[in-house]
Amino acid sequence: MDLAQEEPAGDGEMEELVRVSTANIPNGENHLQRTHFPGMVRKKAYIFDGLGNYYNKEWDLAEGSGQEFCWYHVELPKGKQKLSQSAQYLIDVLCPPLKLQDILSLVSNGPFCGHVDGALVFRVNSPGPPSSNFTFRLAARVTENSVITISLGRVPRLGFSPVGQSLLSEIPSIESPSYHRGERNEGSGIVIREHVLEFLLTMNHSEEADNPVPKSVSNLVVHIIDTHMDHLQDVVTKLEMELDSVELELDRGGFALKKEMLDERRFPKMHLNLQRLLQVIAHGEQVFPRVKEKCSSKHWFASEDIGSLEELIGRLRRLKENVGFLANRVTAIQAGLDSWQSEQINRKLYYLSFLSIIFLPLSVITGVFGMNVGGVPWTVQKDPTLKDGFRNVLGLCLAMLLLVLLCFIFPALYSRLTAWLRRRSLKRTWSHNRRSFLKRTIGLQERGGYLRI
């Protein structure tokens, strides 16, 4: 359950569904470009006509004309490569026409929003390890007729697929051994396997085929930020589900499960992942208001999209509060486990102290009677009158043992005795007050008077 080291189980399923759904899209003539790192990054290129239609295009990094605008997306691999290696990947696929300052502004760590070479560039790149599921990197270069985006790994719902090929629009049916993936029977829908269904339950959004096609660059920018927010929300939802299951396991589990969680340092790792997630959200809180401010001065950025950006900023703040609540829950669970571990240690120390207290007087007695000096009673073995010396020493040890046990038991006996005496006195007082009250009541009823309160 270590989320910082494993990929989400459903990513492969969704990527396969996306590949299947996009396999039938007619592509334009592929632009054969020599690269030094073939196959290391995934590239997508779209052209939009401004009327709600889009087409796949070749990777030429050209801008649109008129109402048309282009979108080029680069997906960096989630591996253990260095930041300089990622920069080389981008130089390989984006240069020319981009310059070195454009590449550095897109791939560097940390938040940024500003104009670079006449284009609006913003990024929310967290500095964590690229292989972690809690490291998010999203950068965009926006002009009037083109958008270039870079992401670390696949961002759900970021691309576009043909309408009608969405998995969510299918009629599902229950999986059985006779069914295979994608198999349809007459009168039944497509079979959804259990692991795919578990992944879909963590999604807080629709699929790529359900995305509304943007009609302007401002719509596309809002769509990019919106999918980034959905990605963060998916991770938070998965964390909540995992935390709920872990809490349930802790309630049902015993010593072995708690010891395993402490040895694996599961909750400190989860707390570290939440801090990384809070860092990503903090970067978004710094960047997205500045993006809205700079886009409001652009004549090609629609006013309704400015309102959409404001809604996304408010959603980001609410998401930060939710992550803060999760961090508090993880801290409380870890504190409970630490308290349980301290109780286990104190219990073991108590048993050890109890044994030492028992055997310390006995060792003193045996040490005294084991001294090889004269004058020690019951130590002359050849004297027939002292044949019961060993028995006497054992009796002395037993008496000492009973005295030690009585010292341990006396506080509990005393507390029980005082509690019994207190209950007895309260019962006696209550019965006396009740008899007195009944006597006064009966006397007043006989005289026909009133009871004075």
Side-chain angles (χ1 to χ4, degrees):
M1 298 171 68
D2 189 0
L3 295 181
Q5 302 295 333
E6 298 180 359
E7 293 282 337
D11 278 358
E13 307 300 330
M14 293 306 299
E15 289 179 3
E16 183 175 350
L17 292 172
V18 170
R19 288 197 296 271
V20 171
S21 62
T22 57
N24 298 324
I25 303 175
N27 290 330
E29 183 181 357
N30 291 332
H31 181 68
L32 298 178
Q33 179 184 3
R34 292 189 177 220
T35 60
H36 296 86
F37 306 100
M40 294 305 299
V41 298
R42 294 182 180 179
K43 300 180 294 183
K44 295 181 181 179
Y46 303 97
I47 184 170
F48 303 88
D49 59 2
L51 301 176
N53 300 313
Y54 78 97
Y55 310 94
N56 287 353
K57 70 183 299 291
E58 62 183 5
W59 188 268
D60 55 4
L61 299 176
E63 296 192 0
S65 59
Q67 292 185 351
E68 294 182 348
F69 57 97
C70 302
W71 178 28
Y72 304 94
H73 177 68
V74 180
E75 182 181 317
L76 294 173
K78 289 183 71 69
K80 296 183 179 181
Q81 70 274 4
K82 297 180 180 179
L83 192 62
S84 58
Q85 187 68 36
S86 300
Q88 290 182 5
Y89 293 158
L90 294 184
I91 292 174
D92 193 29
V93 297
L94 296 179
C95 297
L98 266 61
K99 303 176 182 177
L100 181 58
Q101 60 179 351
D102 299 317
I103 299 297
L104 295 179
S105 62
L106 292 172
V107 78
S108 299
N109 287 327
F112 175 78
C113 179
H115 289 89
V116 177
D117 199 16
L120 175 63
V121 177
F122 66 89
R123 69 170 183 263
V124 281
N125 295 344
S126 56
S131 58
S132 173
N133 292 327
F134 295 87
T135 301
F136 295 85
R137 291 178 184 172
L138 179 68
R141 182 181 185 272
V142 184
T143 60
E144 186 175 357
N145 294 102
S146 70
V147 176
I148 299 175
T149 55
I150 291 91
S151 69
L152 179 63
R154 179 180 177 271
V155 179
R157 202 176 65 88
L158 183 61
F160 295 92
S161 299
V163 179
Q165 297 186 9
S166 171
L167 181 65
L168 302 181
S169 62
E170 300 288 347
I171 300 176
S173 62
I174 300 176
E175 180 184 6
S176 65
S178 61
Y179 287 160
H180 301 284
R181 168 180 244 162
E183 180 182 353
R184 292 176 181 269
N185 282 357
E186 186 177 355
S188 62
I190 189 170
V191 176
I192 307 297
R193 294 184 179 272
E194 183 179 358
H195 59 280
V196 177
L197 189 61
E198 289 179 354
F199 173 72
L200 293 176
L201 288 173
T202 63
M203 294 173 55
N204 197 33
H205 49 77
S206 56
E207 285 188 7
E208 293 182 352
D210 301 314
N211 289 336
V213 180
K215 298 182 179 180
S216 63
V217 173
S218 59
N219 293 154
L220 182 57
V221 172
V222 171
H223 168 74
I224 293 169
I225 299 177
D226 187 22
T227 53
H228 174 69
M229 294 293 302
D230 286 339
H231 195 191
L232 292 176
Q233 184 65 54
D234 289 346
V235 175
V236 174
T237 302
K238 188 173 182 179
L239 267 176
E240 288 178 342
M241 296 175 64
E242 180 190 356
L243 194 57
D244 292 338
S245 63
V246 169
E247 288 178 343
L248 185 61
E249 289 179 4
L250 281 176
D251 293 338
R252 296 179 178 178
F255 178 86
L257 179 62
K258 295 178 180 179
K259 187 69 169 58
E260 179 184 358
M261 289 186 177
L262 286 170
D263 293 340
E264 293 179 355
R265 301 183 69 253
R266 181 173 301 177
F267 292 105
K269 292 178 182 178
M270 190 179 295
H271 195 272
L272 178 61
N273 292 332
L274 286 171
Q275 295 304 315
R276 290 175 178 169
L277 197 58
L278 283 173
Q279 186 182 35
V280 176
I281 296 175
H283 288 173
E285 284 185 327
Q286 298 178 38
V287 171
F288 295 148
R290 296 180 62 187
V291 171
K292 186 196 76 168
E293 179 184 353
K294 292 183 179 298
C295 289
S296 60
S297 61
K298 306 290 184 181
H299 66 88
W300 42 266
F301 207 93
S303 58
E304 57 269 16
D305 292 326
I306 297 295
S308 300
L309 288 178
E310 185 66 33
E311 293 178 1
L312 291 174
I313 293 171
R315 180 184 169 191
L316 188 65
R317 296 192 182 101
R318 293 189 295 270
L319 185 62
K320 182 179 181 180
E321 295 177 357
N322 193 10
V323 175
F325 294 151
L326 287 178
N328 292 335
R329 287 177 60 187
V330 171
T331 303
I333 295 175
Q334 181 63 36
L337 285 178
D338 292 340
S339 176
W340 173 83
Q341 189 179 28
S342 300
E343 290 177 0
Q344 298 299 317
I345 295 174
N346 292 335
R347 184 176 301 176
K348 293 177 181 179
L349 291 177
Y350 174 79
Y351 293 152
L352 183 62
S353 302
F354 181 76
L355 292 176
S356 62
I357 289 176
I358 289 177
F359 286 101
L360 182 61
L362 301 181
S363 62
V364 171
I365 293 175
T366 56
V368 168
F369 284 95
M371 290 188 293
N372 296 323
V373 294
V376 179
W378 308 325
T379 57
V380 182
Q381 298 181 3
K382 296 181 179 180
D383 191 353
T385 60
L386 301 177
K387 61 180 180 179
D388 297 332
F390 179 72
R391 187 186 307 169
N392 296 336
V393 173
L394 287 180
L396 183 61
C397 292
L398 181 61
M400 183 62 67
L401 182 61
L402 292 176
L403 180 63
V404 171
L405 292 177
L406 182 62
C407 293
F408 271 93
I409 298 174
F410 179 76
L413 293 176
Y414 179 78
S415 61
R416 289 196 176 189
L417 180 61
T418 53
W420 178 75
L421 292 175
R422 193 181 301 110
R423 286 196 303 269
R424 184 179 179 184
S425 62
L426 288 176
K427 189 179 297 184
R428 183 178 300 174
T429 305
W430 180 81
S431 61
H432 176 74
N433 293 338
R434 185 172 181 273
R435 285 196 301 269
S436 177
F437 177 77
L438 291 176
K439 184 184 295 184
R440 285 185 296 161
T441 304
I442 294 172
L444 288 173
Q445 288 178 354
E446 291 176 354
R447 294 194 300 268
Y450 294 95
L451 177 62
R452 187 174 182 178
I453 300 177

